[in-house]
Amino acid sequence: MALLRVALILYGDWQDFHMEVRYTDVDYLVFSDAAALVSLGQSPFKRTTYRYSPLLAFQILPNAIVHPSWGKYLFSAADLLVGYLIRTILKLRGVPDDKCMYSVMAWLFNPFTFTIGTRGNCEPIVCAAILWIITCIMTS
C-alpha cells in the first residue's frame, strides 16, 4: 500500500518533468509557494491564491528545505493513517475482522483516494483529523 503511493509520487515527478499534462495538483504548487514564504519568515498569504490554514504551510515547510515532494509523502502517509483509523473505529464498534479488512482495503486500494494524496491534495489530512477525533470520542 505504501509502496504503491511512493511509486505514484515518483511517477508523478517524472510525468511533471517530461509531459505537458502535469500529475501534480495545481493547489500543491500553491501550498509549496506558501511553505517557501514561511521558510523566509513571511506570511503564506503573500501567495495571492493561498486560501488555506497557515498550519498547512507549516506542515509542508520541508517542501522548501528538504524536497519538493515532501508534502505528497505527508499526505500519502495521512491516507494510510485513515486506513488504520477506519480499522480502529470498526473494531471499537465490534465489527468482525473480515469486514474490517474489506473496509480498510476499500479505502487503501481505491484509485480515487490514493491518487488524491499522491497528486498533492491535502484532503487525506482532513480525513485523518476527522477520524482521529471520532476515535478519541469513542474511547473517552
Side-chain angles (χ1 to χ4, degrees):
M1 296 167 282
L3 290 177
L4 171 65
R5 285 158 175 78
V6 169
L8 281 170
I9 292 168
L10 293 172
Y11 168 77
D13 289 345
W14 179 87
Q15 180 176 329
D16 289 348
F17 186 75
H18 290 95
M19 297 184 175
E20 186 175 343
V21 177
R22 296 181 55 86
Y23 181 79
T24 300
D25 190 312
V26 69
D27 283 341
Y28 188 73
L29 304 176
V30 175
F31 304 156
S32 295
D33 290 348
L37 288 167
V38 167
S39 75
L40 298 172
Q42 299 177 15
S43 169
F45 297 106
K46 280 195 167 189
R47 174 62 154 95
T48 56
T49 58
Y50 189 78
R51 59 188 183 279
Y52 308 94
S53 167
L55 294 175
L56 180 59
F58 282 99
Q59 283 179 325
I60 65 166
L61 190 56
N63 271 26
I65 301 166
V66 177
H67 192 274
S69 292
W70 169 271
K72 294 177 185 180
Y73 290 101
L74 176 68
F75 302 154
S76 293
D79 192 42
L80 295 173
L81 178 60
V82 168
Y84 173 77
L85 291 170
I86 288 170
R87 183 183 186 288
T88 301
I89 290 168
L90 293 175
K91 293 306 291 179
L92 287 170
R93 298 281 301 152
V95 175
D97 283 337
D98 61 333
K99 289 187 181 176
C100 286
M101 182 183 67
Y102 293 135
S103 298
V104 171
M105 287 174 53
W107 179 267
L108 294 178
F109 290 105
N110 183 329
F112 183 72
T113 59
F114 63 69
T115 302
I116 287 173
T118 62
R119 289 187 67 228
N121 187 300
C122 66
E123 198 63 32
I125 297 271
V126 176
C127 294
I130 291 168
L131 293 178
W132 177 71
I133 290 168
I134 292 170
T135 302
C136 290
I137 290 169
M138 291 177 73
T139 58
S140 63

